[in-house]
Each structure stands twice: as structure tokens, then as C-alpha cells.
Amino acid sequence: MSSSLSDRDQQVIWHPYTQHKNMLPPIPITKGEGTLLFDENNNSYIDAISSWWVNVHGHAHPYIAQKIYEQAKKLEHVIFTGFTHEPAVSLAERLLKILPGNFSRIFYSDNGSTAVEVAIKMAIQFWSQQADAGDQKSANDNHHVKYRHRILAFRNSYHGDTFGAMSVSERGVFTLPFHDHLFEVIFIDTPTKANFGHIKSVIDLYANEIACFIYEPLLQAAGGMLMHEAEMLDELLTEIKSKNIICIADEVMTGFYRTGKFFASEYLQNKADIICLSKGLTGGTMALGVTAASQKIFDAFLSDDRTKTFFHGHSFTANPIACASALASLDLIEKEDCVLRINNMVKKNKEFIAGFAIHHSPSNIKNHRQLGTIIAFEIISGNDSYLNNISATITKQAMQNGIYIRPLGNTVYIMPPYCITDEQLNKLYDFLMAIG
Ligand SMILES: *Cc1c(COP(=O)(O)O)cnc(C)c1O
């Protein structure tokens, strides 16, 4: 008898974020449709976390699939230096119209971490080229020109798993073995009325040395679905912008309506100079990253001196099939019923979280919160840590109920695709309500 897919997997696969010793056998998924994932025995599970926050319109969406098929038959890929193609240009044009802020150029890569790497490299090189231009004499005198080189980031942040992205992320369990190899970053807390003065003094201290500030607007997702006030972030951005620091909004997760608006930056008056997108960009079907830059950033790289080129690119830069799937996803988002469904989910989430407070206080639940399409709370059990074992227990209970969720330690959350039906959403609420 041939062995099962799960057995074969366990012979050859190394899974992400998975401790393989004593791991539960992975569940083969054979099919996806709408919010549902189907296993080999045709059990279905509501994908309540949008498959790690990427899915937007549901699984195996026929319209996106069709567009991918059409593009694959026409042009599957081409080198993106010296050449261009319709899906890349059309997607850039459409993104520039909807992005929150004055962006004028789209740089493509293939995931969230690389979108962040690109942003950081743009910001650092921007200042290095300013130093060359403005300070030619001292550039000749000193081999090492002092230019803005420091980076500012939030505590509890998560910007990806490559080295630059890890460097600007919280030093924690994900990054522990690499601390000696990560570059130095100035970390500040997310702003509140109470800590604002202190944060300001830190920024003042280094103001002229800080090249850029990278932030996840309103929601630190991997950090534990931590939410902060738009108003306070806006005050902080005003402060930071007054120091001429380049602002990088990492909207890899918050983009495409997760927070109830197209982009979380729409809750803010202050807009970024660089913005990073991925995850929901293709509706969750293909790997694609975008780093959008303002004219000011782009202009700093224009030069007769070829060393000022942005020497960065990936083999699959602007992959046409990925761009086509992003265009298809945008088509679906721009249909009226999509935003209506999002608004409906946001409204229902608000009602649920209000009722949840009454049902669960006092209890073993704390910090229940909601932002747009996302609901989160902590279970009071052991410590507040990603390694809390309660996560596996909750996932198992959920699966038995036909729901897939994957708590971040003791932080339980849902973030469903927007095609979720009221009935499915109520099923998620009932499950959450029964916890505790
Ligand atoms: C997921 C995530 C990333 C990394 O994206 P990958 O595609 O997983 O590399 C970066 N920033 C934020 C805010 C994220 O949530």
C-alpha cells in the first residue's frame, strides 16, 4: 500500500514556523472554495485567518484563476530590466491611483520581506547619495562620509524574516539566534499620551542621524495583533516628518481593507514616503511584493554617475502572472459588493465585540479588541508568549468545529476573507464566544 501524503510530507518537507519534533501530521488540503478549505476526507474548514493573512476573495476564485490562465498562455515571465509588459505597467498605474500618499514609482519584488528590504535600502541609499551631493569636499577628505544611517522602528514590530527585515523587527523568539548579525535599530514604543514625551526625547536625541522610520500603521499583527490609536501615530508622524526622516509604511498586512479601509494609512493625516505591500495584493493567489516610492526618493537616484543606481532586483521581479492576479483582485475589490461585504463584516465585528465584553467579564479572557475585519483577544493561561501551548489546543478545538484558526501564542484572532457569509461569520463568533 502506498503511504499517505501526510507520511510522504514528513519524509521530505521542512515546514515554516514548525517544530518538527513530535509535530502533528500535516493535514493534506485538496481543494479550496470561497472561505472553505477541504481535506482528503472532504471535511471542510472555514479559513478564518485567510491562510496567514493573504486571502481576500476566497480560495480558487474563478475570475482570478481565469486571468492567471490567460496571462500564463500569453507571457509567463520575462526579465524586467530593459523590458516591460502590460500587467506590470497597468498594475503600477492602478496602484498609484489608490495608494494613500504622493507616490510616483512602483518597484516590484516577490514577497513582504523583500518589499521591506527594498524600502530600507532605498532610504539608506537616498541619504548616502544626499551626503555625496551636498558634502563633496568632506567626501573627498574622509573616506567615510557621515550621513543619516540610523533606523527607527517600533517595539513589537514584525517586518519579515530576511536579515534586513529581521533587523527592524522586535528582538524576540523569532530572531534570537541571529541577534549578533542584525544591524542596530532605535526602538520606540507605539505612542500613547503617557509615553509621547519620552519617545519625542529619543527622537530629538538622534534626529539628524535617523535615515528612516518603519512602522506597521495601527496594527502590529505578528507582534500579537496589537492595536494603537491613529491619532497618536499621526502626532508621532508629524514629529518625525519635521525632522526630515523618511517614513516607511509597512502595509504588507494592513493593505487591501483588513483594517476596514483600503489602506490603514487612510486613517492618518500624515502619509509615508515609501509604502510596502504584499499578502492581499494578489488576492492571496500569487507571490508579489510592491515598494512604492515618492518622487523625491526616486529623484535621488537619477544621476550621470552610474554608481547611484539602485542595484537591487529579483529573478521574478514583476512576474506577469502575479501582476495579472493582482489586477484581477483589484477588479473584484472595486466591485461595489466587495466593499459592502467588508462594511458588513466590520459592523458585525463591532456588535460582536461589544457583546463579547458583557459575556466574558470577568473571565479568563482579556484585551478583547477589534479593528476593521480583525478581532483579537488574549486567553489568560500561562504567560503572554508566542510559545504558549494554548495555541495548539485552540486550533484543535476549532478544527473539530470546522474552523481553521491559528492563535499567536495565547492571542486568539480571526481575519476572514471578505467573501465569508453571515452564517459562516456567526459560526466563528459562536466558537469565539464559547472559549473561556
Ligand atoms: C507578513 C509580513 C511581512 C513579511 O511578508 P512575507 O511575505 O511573509 O515575507 C512583512 N511585514 C508585515 C507587516 C507582515 O505582516
Side-chain angles (χ1 to χ4, degrees):
M1 210 185 99
S2 63
S3 55
S4 72
L5 190 63
S6 184
D7 290 340
R8 285 162 55 205
D9 172 290
Q10 289 181 88
Q11 297 305 314
V12 294
I13 303 290
W14 191 340
H15 286 273
Y17 283 84
T18 300
Q19 174 48 259
H20 276 258
K21 186 163 186 193
N22 303 325
M23 77 181 270
L24 293 170
I27 299 160
I29 295 297
T30 53
K31 190 173 79 170
E33 195 184 330
T35 54
L36 298 179
L37 296 168
F38 293 85
D39 69 14
E40 289 177 316
N41 305 315
N42 219 31
N43 297 312
S44 70
Y45 308 95
I46 301 172
D47 185 356
I49 62 160
S50 297
S51 280
W52 249 353
W53 323 339
V54 301
N55 193 283
V56 172
H57 307 290
H59 289 280
H61 195 288
Y63 179 74
I64 301 178
Q66 178 66 27
K67 292 292 180 182
I68 288 174
Y69 174 66
E70 286 167 12
Q71 186 57 48
K73 281 195 303 179
K74 231 183 281 171
L75 176 67
E76 85 304 344
H77 190 63
V78 63
I79 176 174
F80 205 58
T81 62
F83 290 122
T84 192
H85 51 77
E86 174 66 32
V89 176
S90 293
L91 180 59
E93 288 169 348
R94 277 174 80 173
L95 287 173
L96 289 174
K97 275 196 200 112
I98 56 174
L99 284 174
N102 276 321
F103 299 102
S104 61
R105 295 282 166 168
I106 298 291
F107 191 98
Y108 290 110
S109 61
D110 35 33
N111 60 71
S113 303
T114 54
V116 166
E117 296 287 335
V118 166
I120 298 167
K121 285 176 72 173
M122 280 177 180
I124 298 282
Q125 192 174 340
F126 173 92
W127 285 111
S128 106
Q129 292 179 179
Q130 300 289 311
D132 291 354
D135 206 1
Q136 201 57 52
K137 185 170 177 301
S138 65
N140 294 336
D141 292 348
N142 304 306
H143 287 302
H144 191 77
V145 186
K146 207 161 180 268
Y147 57 88
R148 289 186 182 226
H149 60 286
R150 293 186 189 274
I151 296 175
L152 192 64
F154 278 141
R155 293 207 175 87
N156 296 310
S157 60
Y158 175 81
H159 298 289
D161 287 350
T162 51
F163 270 88
M166 275 199 292
S167 293
V168 293
S169 298
E170 170 77 33
R171 301 289 184 270
V173 61
F174 300 166
T175 57
L176 200 57
F178 312 108
H179 286 182
D180 286 350
H181 303 273
L182 302 181
F183 55 73
E184 194 191 320
V185 167
I186 303 167
F187 286 106
I188 52 175
D189 286 322
T190 50
T192 61
K193 283 214 157 48
N195 68 15
F196 200 82
H198 174 71
I199 293 176
K200 194 172 167 312
S201 68
V202 173
I203 295 168
D204 285 343
L205 193 60
Y206 296 106
N208 296 328
E209 298 175 15
I210 301 174
C212 62
F213 168 52
I214 183 163
Y215 57 102
E216 297 160 89
L218 305 198
L219 179 71
Q220 298 182 293
M225 293 297 152
L226 305 172
M227 297 169 189
H228 55 269
E229 295 287 325
E231 207 179 305
M232 290 313 298
L233 177 57
D234 230 354
E235 269 190 52
L236 179 65
L237 288 172
T238 302
E239 192 60 36
I240 285 173
K241 286 190 156 247
S242 77
K243 313 285 185 201
N244 250 333
I245 296 166
I246 295 172
C247 291
I248 303 172
D250 178 354
E251 294 231 28
V252 166
M253 190 260 120
T254 49
F256 305 96
Y257 281 103
R258 291 292 178 205
T259 68
K261 290 190 194 268
F262 216 135
F263 299 97
S265 294
E266 290 174 25
Y267 288 94
L268 306 164
Q269 300 296 320
N270 288 296
K271 304 297 194 259
D273 305 290
I274 301 177
I275 190 167
C276 306
L277 309 174
S278 189
K279 294 201 166 115
L281 173 60
T282 61
T285 56
M286 297 281 300
L288 184 65
V290 153
T291 309
S294 67
Q295 192 68 42
K296 184 179 113 180
I297 303 289
F298 179 73
D299 283 348
F301 290 77
L302 294 177
S303 174
D304 293 324
D305 177 355
R306 291 188 58 196
T307 65
K308 302 212 165 158
T309 307
F310 190 52
F311 290 112
H312 189 106
H314 298 278
S315 311
F316 285 101
T317 297
N319 175 257
I321 303 174
C323 291
S325 64
L327 286 164
S329 178
L330 281 179
D331 289 346
L332 296 174
I333 284 179
E334 285 168 5
K335 285 190 172 167
E336 201 182 356
D337 70 312
C338 183
V339 177
L340 289 179
R341 272 185 276 116
I342 292 162
N343 290 343
N344 177 52
M345 197 198 308
V346 173
K347 185 169 151 274
K348 284 187 63 123
N349 277 353
K350 279 200 179 113
E351 287 162 10
F352 169 77
I353 213 74
F356 191 74
I358 297 161
H359 179 81
H360 273 290
S361 74
S363 74
N364 60 340
I365 302 289
K366 64 178 182 183
N367 305 334
H368 54 278
R369 56 199 182 273
Q370 177 255 342
L371 177 63
T373 69
I374 299 150
I375 284 172
F377 56 81
E378 271 79 48
I379 297 180
I380 303 168
S381 158
N383 55 355
D384 290 354
S385 148
Y386 183 80
L387 300 180
N388 193 314
N389 285 328
I390 192 89
S391 175
T393 312
I394 301 269
T395 298
K396 196 168 157 218
Q397 283 172 7
M399 300 282 287
Q400 284 160 357
N401 284 278
I403 295 168
Y404 178 63
I405 57 172
R406 187 177 185 277
L408 296 154
N410 62 328
T411 302
V412 177
Y413 71 94
I414 59 166
M415 186 192 299
Y418 309 144
C419 61
I420 193 165
T421 64
D422 277 1
E423 195 188 346
Q424 289 170 334
L425 199 51
N426 289 338
K427 189 170 163 175
L428 299 186
Y429 293 154
D430 288 346
F431 179 77
L432 295 183
M433 207 50 116
I435 292 177

